[in-house]
């Protein structure tokens, strides 16, 4: 931030407090202030945070969501604690002869501005205790509380149901809960960002029971104060652990025999699925888009189908929208000062865009220049630096390379893709890492390598398709600023929400997308929809949508109307402040 005089700063922060009081009123929760306080904060537990500005690099959308949620809470002055591990080993990706490889980089919490506040001990059967260092970083009304030790390992190391993962999970849960006590904090609510964090709720249950509360009452209490946020569609895909693994890593950290016995009784055929345990301990449960809440098929241990509420993910606009563009939205009433949707209607937004067309085009040009400066210190698949011509149409794909997101779909008919790129003078930029550790037998790995080989073998694609390695937040932001058309083609029903599309439309890119995840929140979607009864039909729909999108981009009024309509349709969906309001409503209903 620029060097402001202290006086001005003081005035600015006073004005902000008034605003926040008003925000509480707008969400109809005047007594929220009594529910959440600095000593009774909103506690958010997550195995992954993606917040490079604070020195934490994640792996994907789950971490971006966690980071954005804390940023929104900080803006709105909500007392908020993010409990998460600090991974001292960070994964990066490099290509060698078009084959992906992992590189690991060391990180230290001190170097990233974290301060050590103490240590907690974790017990492991037949092994020496593990000592976790607890680090804190305060950011306005929010803070990070992190647990770490030198052998903690990287994020998502090993396999999902391995001993090492269970160790990381119990470190977060038991270690994190102990860290809260160390900092004299009592959670108003514990949000479990996926089931891997469930041991924080177990630790709370154990504390209540060891302090003399009976098990039944303690379960009721924990259930009332725990929220389970699910991002996984199929319960079978969740991690499960054997009784023997619990015996080594979990039970030694539980003091109350009643809790031991209770958890022991939840095993089926010697295994416990973390989702089953989480469903037991959380009354409030949500999925992260409307469609996801409808299709997620979960059952509790008695076989009853789990009901999930829908709270769609949003993004922290200030982190993801080009600042000049966000200012423009604010000045023209499209976004209000809480970063919630403003008063402007869709018709008004279209009119505002038409009147300011040259300004908006100019901002997109600036965005292209910003993308090129980010690309200047990055590498494409051949290890070279890419610069995208200022006046070329730019298509983009930037998401993890996993099967259901179908990154190779545009390459199904190479002649069609080439026709589009050449006849419209377009470029296609791609980025995204393979999930988990790279292994040469992995089918996604093979598919990425073979896609890159096909691109390399074709002189047209070689010139116009750029795969940028080591995808991260900064690249994501730059690509949103500088691209014209964003490709998002997950298999319908398999994307929990997705937030990349939100960043893109907020930066005035056109979306060529299947009707999935958060895209399907809006009916009918104000995007260019890719659809079809089978894969072949979807593929040809994709090519015709790409041509249509490029034609729109080339025509001023059509472009202005299309980006305005997309933005207007999704404004409520994408606002992170809206997401926070929905969580607060959901958790702290005014009737109690
Ligand atoms: C926004 C973002 C994501 C989210 O990806 P989705 O596929 O839309 O869920 C993942 N990784 C990074 C680096 C991001 O910036």
């Amino acid at each position: 931030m620029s060097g402001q005089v202290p006086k001005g700063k003081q005035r600015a922060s006073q004005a902000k407090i008034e605003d926040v009081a008003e925000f509480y009123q707008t969400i109809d929760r005047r007594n929220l202030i009594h529910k959440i306080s600095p000593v009774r904060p909103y506690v958010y537990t997550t195995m992954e945070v993606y917040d490079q500005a604070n020195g934490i690099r994640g792996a994907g959308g789950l971490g971006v969501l966690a980071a954005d949620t804390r940023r929104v809470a900080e803006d709105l002055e909500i007392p908020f604690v993010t409990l998460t591990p600090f991974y001292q080993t960070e994964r990066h990706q490099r290509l060698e002869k078009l084959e992906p490889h992992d590189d690991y980089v060391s990180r230290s919490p001190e170097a990233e501005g974290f301060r050590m506040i103490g240590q907690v001990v974790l017990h492991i059967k037949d092994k020496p205790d593990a000592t976790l260092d607890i680090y804190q970083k305060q950011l306005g009304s929010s803070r990070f509380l992190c647990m770490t030790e030198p052998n903690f390992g990287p994020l998502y190391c090993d396999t999902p149901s391995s001993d090492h993962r269970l160790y990381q999970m119990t470190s977060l849960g038991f270690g994190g809960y102990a860290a809260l006590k160390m900092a004299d904090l009592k959670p108003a609510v514990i949000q479990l960002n996926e089931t891997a964090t469930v041991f924080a709720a177990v630790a709370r249950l154990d504390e209540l029971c060891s302090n003399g509360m009976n098990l039944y009452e303690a379960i009721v209490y924990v259930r009332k104060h725990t929220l389970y946020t699910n991002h996984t569609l199929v319960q079978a895909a969740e991690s499960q652990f054997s009784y023997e693994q619990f015996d080594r890593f979990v039970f030694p950290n539980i003091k109350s025999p009643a809790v031991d016995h209770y958890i022991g009784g939840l095993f089926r055929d010697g295994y416990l699925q973390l989702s089953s345990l989480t469903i037991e301990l959380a009354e409030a449960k949500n999925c992260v888009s409307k469609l996801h809440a409808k299709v997620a098929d979960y059952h509790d241990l008695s076989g009853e189908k789990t009901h999930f509420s829908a709270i769609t993910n949003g993004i922290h606009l200030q982190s993801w929208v080009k600042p000049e563009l966000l200012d423009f939205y604010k000045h023209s009433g499209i976004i209000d000062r809480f970063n919630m949707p403003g008063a402007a209607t869709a018709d008004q937004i279209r009119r505002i865009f038409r009147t300011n067309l040259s300004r908006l085009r100019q901002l997109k040009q600036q965005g292209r220049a910003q993308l090129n400066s980010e690309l200047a210190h990055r590498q494409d698949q051949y290890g070279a630096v890419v610069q995208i011509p200022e006046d070329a149409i730019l298509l983009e794909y930037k998401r993890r390379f996993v099967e259901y997101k179908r990154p190779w779909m545009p390459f199904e008919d190479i002649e069609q893709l080439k026709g589009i790129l050449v006849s419209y003078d377009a470029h296609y930029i791609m980025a995204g890492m393979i999930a988990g550790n790279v292994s040469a037998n992995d089918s996604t790995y093979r598919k990425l390598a073979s896609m890159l080989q096909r691109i390399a073998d074709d002189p047209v694609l070689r010139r116009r398709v750029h795969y940028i390695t080591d995808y991260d937040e900064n690249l994501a932001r730059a690509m949103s600023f500088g691209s014209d058309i964003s490709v998002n083609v997950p298999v319908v029903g398999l994307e929990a929400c997705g937030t990349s599309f939100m960043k893109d439309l907020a930066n005035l890119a056109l979306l060529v997308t299947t009707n999935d995840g958060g895209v399907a929140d809006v009916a009918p979607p104000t995007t260019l929809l890719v659809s079809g009864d089978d894969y072949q039909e979807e593929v040809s729909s994709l090519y015709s949508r790409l041509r249509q999108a490029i034609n729109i981009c080339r025509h001023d009024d059509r472009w202005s109307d299309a980006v305005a309509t997309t933005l207007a349709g999704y404004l409520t969906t994408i606002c992170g402040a809206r997401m926070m309001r929905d969580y607060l409503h959901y958790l702290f209903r005014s009737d109690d």
Side-chain angles (χ1 to χ4, degrees):
M1 293 287 126
S2 61
Q4 250 182 348
V5 293
K7 223 178 182 179
K9 231 179 185 171
Q10 210 177 354
R11 218 178 306 125
S13 75
Q14 272 167 13
K16 209 173 154 205
I17 288 166
E18 280 167 24
D19 282 352
V20 171
E22 213 177 298
F23 174 79
Y24 286 135
Q25 277 173 22
T26 68
I27 66 166
D28 202 22
R29 284 292 316 137
R30 257 170 297 163
N31 67 339
L32 189 64
I33 254 125
H34 305 290
K35 300 264 162 102
I36 307 178
S37 69
V39 291
R40 231 182 126 69
Y42 189 130
V43 173
Y44 189 95
T45 58
T46 181
M47 290 305 292
E48 179 189 342
V49 170
Y50 212 136
D51 186 350
Q52 285 177 287
N54 282 304
I56 307 181
R57 177 174 162 133
L62 187 87
V64 172
L65 173 73
D68 276 7
T69 306
R70 188 205 58 75
R71 293 173 182 134
V72 171
E74 184 187 348
D75 287 350
L76 297 171
E77 296 176 15
I78 295 167
F80 191 91
V81 178
T82 303
L83 279 187
T84 193
F86 187 98
Y87 300 92
Q88 299 186 33
T89 317
E90 187 179 274
R91 188 168 81 98
H92 289 255
Q93 184 208 57
R94 155 179 63 89
L95 288 177
E96 217 171 78
K97 300 201 185 84
L98 302 183
E99 303 254 331
H101 292 272
D102 285 336
D103 274 335
Y104 291 94
V105 171
S106 294
R107 291 265 166 216
S108 108
E110 280 97 357
E112 305 300 339
F114 289 77
R115 199 171 52 80
M116 190 167 153
I117 60 165
Q119 292 185 316
V120 302
V121 167
L122 203 70
H123 308 295
I124 303 162
K125 189 178 170 185
D126 301 332
K127 285 250 176 92
D129 286 344
T131 304
L132 297 167
D133 297 335
I134 305 298
Y135 280 89
Q136 173 167 279
K137 190 183 216 178
Q138 185 82 38
L139 295 150
S141 65
S142 75
R143 70 177 104 181
F144 283 109
L145 271 182
C146 300
M147 57 297 310
T148 190
E149 49 93 4
N151 299 314
F152 198 79
L155 172 63
Y156 304 140
C157 64
D158 222 318
T159 54
S161 296
S162 60
D163 285 359
H164 196 112
R165 285 277 189 100
L166 184 57
Y167 163 70
Q168 290 183 334
M169 293 173 191
T170 53
S171 299
L172 170 62
F174 295 107
Y177 197 74
L180 288 172
K181 306 233 62 169
M182 184 186 291
D184 281 326
L185 301 173
K186 190 175 174 203
V189 63
I190 297 180
Q191 180 164 0
L192 305 173
N193 193 31
E194 270 300 353
T195 59
T197 63
V198 69
F199 297 107
V202 173
R204 190 171 215 189
L205 182 66
D206 184 44
E207 183 194 32
L208 295 172
C209 289
S210 340
N211 288 346
M213 196 184 274
N214 79 44
L215 179 69
Y216 180 79
E217 272 176 51
I219 291 174
V220 170
Y221 184 91
V222 169
R223 281 180 61 80
K224 273 231 166 299
H225 295 87
T226 305
L227 164 65
Y228 162 30
T229 299
N230 172 34
H231 305 251
T232 311
L233 267 133
V234 188
Q235 196 165 13
E238 299 269 2
S239 331
Q240 59 170 14
F241 294 98
S242 68
Y243 189 88
E244 188 269 332
Q245 286 177 299
F246 262 64
D247 200 37
R248 278 187 291 141
F249 293 97
V250 180
F251 295 140
N253 296 291
I254 293 177
K255 289 188 271 319
S256 154
V259 174
D260 258 0
H261 187 253
Y262 162 68
I263 292 178
L266 302 177
F267 281 76
R268 298 292 179 267
D269 302 321
Y271 284 88
L272 177 56
Q273 226 170 30
L274 290 189
S275 56
S276 304
L277 178 58
T278 313
I279 291 166
E280 288 292 310
L281 293 179
E283 190 173 292
K285 295 177 272 292
N286 79 289
C287 285
V288 291
S289 71
K290 290 178 186 167
L291 179 63
H292 180 215
K294 225 179 285 166
V295 298
D297 191 16
Y298 279 61
H299 296 265
D300 68 14
L301 285 166
S302 66
E304 196 164 315
K305 191 163 159 94
T306 304
H307 171 77
F308 289 102
S309 301
I311 298 179
T312 302
N313 291 342
I315 54 172
H316 183 246
L317 297 177
Q318 304 95 298
S319 296
W320 297 109
V321 183
K322 187 170 152 54
E324 299 81 357
L325 196 52
L326 189 59
D327 281 349
F328 172 80
Y329 294 159
K330 289 196 172 170
H331 288 140
S332 48
I334 296 171
I335 295 279
D336 76 9
R337 63 190 189 289
F338 308 118
N339 293 300
M340 298 270 273
T345 63
D347 276 339
Q348 284 165 338
I349 294 175
R350 274 186 289 272
R351 222 169 305 133
I352 293 165
F353 273 38
R354 284 261 187 143
T355 342
N356 292 280
L357 180 72
S358 59
R359 170 82 179 132
L360 295 175
R361 288 286 205 188
Q362 184 203 1
L363 288 178
K364 278 309 286 185
Q365 283 285 297
Q366 269 180 22
R368 176 66 54 86
Q370 284 172 293
L371 170 60
N372 278 330
S373 52
E374 179 67 31
L375 292 176
H377 54 88
R378 297 214 169 235
Q379 293 185 342
D380 71 2
Q381 63 267 50
Y382 317 108
V385 167
V386 177
Q387 292 286 288
I388 307 296
E390 217 178 275
D391 50 357
I393 294 281
L394 183 58
L395 320 175
E396 66 135 84
Y397 173 99
K398 54 161 169 24
R399 1 188 94 68
R400 276 178 308 127
F401 273 63
V402 289
E403 197 65 44
Y404 80 88
K405 289 183 190 261
R406 303 189 288 191
W408 22 82
M409 199 163 159
F411 299 89
E412 289 295 347
D413 185 340
I414 295 250
E415 289 312 313
Q416 290 226 43
L417 177 62
K418 280 163 64 174
I420 291 170
L421 296 177
V422 172
S423 57
Y424 296 98
D425 183 22
H427 285 249
Y428 186 34
I429 185 170
M430 305 181 80
M433 309 222 280
I434 292 175
N437 295 359
V438 165
S439 120
N441 331 323
D442 183 75
S443 75
T444 322
Y445 170 104
R446 300 272 30 118
K447 275 189 155 165
L448 172 58
S450 94
M451 184 190 85
L452 293 173
Q453 193 58 56
R454 289 173 78 186
I455 296 167
D457 290 345
D458 185 292
V460 171
L461 297 184
R462 201 178 164 101
R463 207 165 49 243
R464 292 183 181 271
V465 180
H466 320 281
Y467 175 82
I468 310 298
T469 56
D470 207 27
Y471 179 51
D472 69 359
E473 224 183 295
N474 299 328
L475 183 57
R477 188 175 299 109
M479 285 173 75
S480 291
F481 288 8
S483 304
D484 301 305
I485 296 161
S486 162
V487 177
N488 176 48
V489 284
V491 177
V492 171
L494 296 191
E495 185 71 84
C497 180
T499 51
S500 299
F501 83 90
M502 301 182 181
K503 302 166 189 171
D504 299 335
L505 74 90
N507 286 294
L508 307 182
L510 291 171
L511 300 182
V512 170
T513 176
T514 48
N515 193 17
D516 196 24
V519 172
D521 257 43
V522 172
T526 53
T527 60
L528 294 159
L529 272 195
V530 172
S531 62
D533 288 337
D534 57 33
Y535 185 57
Q536 272 322 310
E537 279 186 31
E538 283 183 285
V539 170
S540 51
S541 164
L542 169 67
Y543 292 121
S544 62
R545 289 309 199 182
L546 287 176
R547 285 197 193 87
Q548 190 186 353
I550 295 174
N551 281 319
I552 293 172
C553 285
R554 292 253 133 125
H555 187 287
D556 278 345
D557 288 347
R558 287 179 67 195
W559 177 77
S560 167
D561 286 355
V563 290
T565 302
T566 309
L567 179 70
Y570 284 93
L571 202 52
T572 305
T573 310
I574 67 173
C575 285
R578 184 276 314 153
M579 168 180 69
M580 180 57 77
R581 180 202 61 191
D582 289 352
Y583 275 118
L584 294 174
H585 263 165
Y586 181 52
L587 292 167
F588 305 102
R589 293 174 204 100
S590 36
D591 51 76
D592 54 286

